[in-house]
Amino acid sequence: MSTTSKAMRQSLALRLSSNTFLVFWCVIAAFPILWIAVMSVKSPVDVFAQNPWSVIFGPNTLARGDGLSILDLLAGLAVLYVAIRWMFTRLPQLVNHYSPSGWTVLGWLLGAAVYGLVFLLLFFGLLPLVLEPLNAMLGPLGQPVVGFTTQHYVAVWGENEFYRNFMNSMLVTAGVVTISLTVGTLAGYGLARSGSDLAFWLLILALIFRALPHSVLVAGYLPWFINSAEILRPIFGDLSPTLYGQPWAVIAVLVSINQPFTIWMLRSFFQNIPAELDEAARVDGCSHFQAFRRVIMPVMWPGVITTGLFSFLLGYNDFLVTSLLLDAQNQTMVPAIAGYFNRETTTTDQVEAVAAAVSITAPLFLLVMVFQRQIVSGLTAGAVKG
């Protein structure tokens, strides 16, 4: 019997309409990702076919001998189900068990990285080796029925060396997240515990700075980055670097863009933590910083993870700043994908761009799935004051 109070019960019409809208929204939101994932494993002829069923089943890809059998499909779905279920059940237990005290977030990051690497090795390395002899023994059931090829991923990550762009993106993103969270937690804590008018006006100034167009910040920093070798020559001599074209320039600009947001968001989280915890820690002999590190931060981890995710998305998905400030050798993934499209682009280049786009989506999916509990907890804590 339902425990929902009579006043909170929804009518049948309201439940049907809300659930219908939710399903419709999920389909609309998931369709582009699923569609480009299907396109990335088909030949260019199938990808640009007028019949959508040709895109799904890939007859041209199948005619070339690249495809999946019924056994491949069933085994792949079974492995995906087990992997997702294991990620939601066993992975949290292992991370919490083996992570040292105070290092839970680092344990989650390492756990997610190891999990993703093991999944790739098992799904794309070991599973095809096991299924190949089984398909040969099954006869007609082992014959390919759906076109499927990984040649575009091989071309992107091997021939085009997309892994270099991936490493550049990780460097920029790690720098943005680390600096933004370090400064944001300290500033947010100080502003949350301060009742002065100066704190209020600092927050207003940060909000105004956050509202500036990104191009304005890039234009302001650009002359300094270009002339950085001359500016730093009195300090470093002939070793003075030119920051223009280097990831450090992008990190500086993205931190400037992101820092007001992290301060505002973390301040709201700190305000939800009772000041009595600080006072109790001070009575027990902790300094202000010790109270912050040992008492407040363990309670704040969901908020820090949520804010860190938004900072990660800013650095990971940025196009304008990275395309303007980085040279070709240090380019991140999003501008590199845009580089596939030019006047000389072929259909093969376009499908490779789709495969690259799917590749950069996978880490985001893994990150959100691994940290989904902390993200929900952080968003709830930041939305409700008390």
Side-chain angles (χ1 to χ4, degrees), residues 4 23 29 94 98 110 145 204 239 280 294 302 317 356-357:
T4 306
V23 171
L94 292 175
Y98 289 103
L110 292 177
V145 294
I204 295 299
L239 299 177
R294 297 180 178 179
N317 295 328

Side-chain angles (χ1 to χ4, degrees), residues 127-261:
L127 187 62
L129 294 178
V130 174
L131 292 177
E132 185 175 358
L134 293 178
N135 284 324
M137 292 187 296
L138 290 177
L141 293 178
Q143 296 299 317
V145 294
V146 177
F148 184 93
T149 178
T150 58
Q151 66 177 18
H152 306 301
Y153 289 95
V154 174
V156 167
W157 290 91
E159 299 174 10
N160 301 338
E161 298 183 339
F162 194 67
Y163 64 89
R164 297 183 183 273
N165 305 113
F166 176 79
M167 296 302 297
N168 294 332
S169 292
M170 291 298 101
L171 175 61
V172 169
T173 303
V176 172
V177 172
T178 302
I179 298 174
S180 296
L181 290 184
T182 301
V183 177
T185 51
L186 295 174
Y189 176 70
L191 293 173
R193 294 296 185 257
S194 174
S196 66
D197 293 336
L198 178 60
F200 172 78
W201 289 109
L202 285 175
L203 288 170
I204 295 299
L205 181 63
L207 184 62
I208 295 174
F209 194 79
R210 180 67 177 87
L212 292 175
H214 296 181
S215 56
V216 173
L217 295 176
V218 174
Y221 280 108
L222 192 57
W224 297 91
F225 292 149
I226 294 176
N227 300 317
S228 60
E230 297 298 328
I231 296 173
L232 298 175
R233 191 174 299 278
I235 302 175
F236 298 101
D238 294 336
L239 299 177
S240 57
T242 299
L243 295 179
Y244 179 73
Q246 301 300 317
W248 313 114
V250 174
I251 292 175
V253 176
L254 291 180
V255 167
S256 301
I257 295 171
N258 187 57
Q259 199 64 76
F261 168 78

Side-chain angles (χ1 to χ4, degrees), residues 293-317:
R293 182 172 65 88
R294 297 180 178 179
V295 179
I296 304 301
M297 282 307 298
V299 184
M300 267 291 295
W301 277 127
V304 172
I305 292 174
T306 303
T307 308
L309 177 64
F310 285 108
S311 301
F312 179 90
L313 294 176
L314 173 72
Y316 193 81
N317 295 328

Side-chain angles (χ1 to χ4, degrees), residues 267-330:
R267 173 181 172 271
S268 69
F269 287 123
F270 281 119
Q271 284 183 321
N272 293 324
I273 299 177
E276 287 77 8
L277 290 178
D278 304 66
E279 297 172 359
R282 294 283 290 161
V283 170
D284 290 338
C286 293
S287 64
H288 283 295
F289 182 75
Q290 288 175 333
F292 167 77
R293 182 172 65 88
R294 297 180 178 179
V295 179
I296 304 301
M297 282 307 298
V299 184
M300 267 291 295
W301 277 127
V304 172
I305 292 174
T306 303
T307 308
L309 177 64
F310 285 108
S311 301
F312 179 90
L313 294 176
L314 173 72
Y316 193 81
N317 295 328
D318 181 79
F319 173 78
L320 176 64
V321 177
T322 51
S323 61
L324 290 177
L325 294 182
L326 291 178
D327 54 28
Q329 295 180 347
N330 296 311

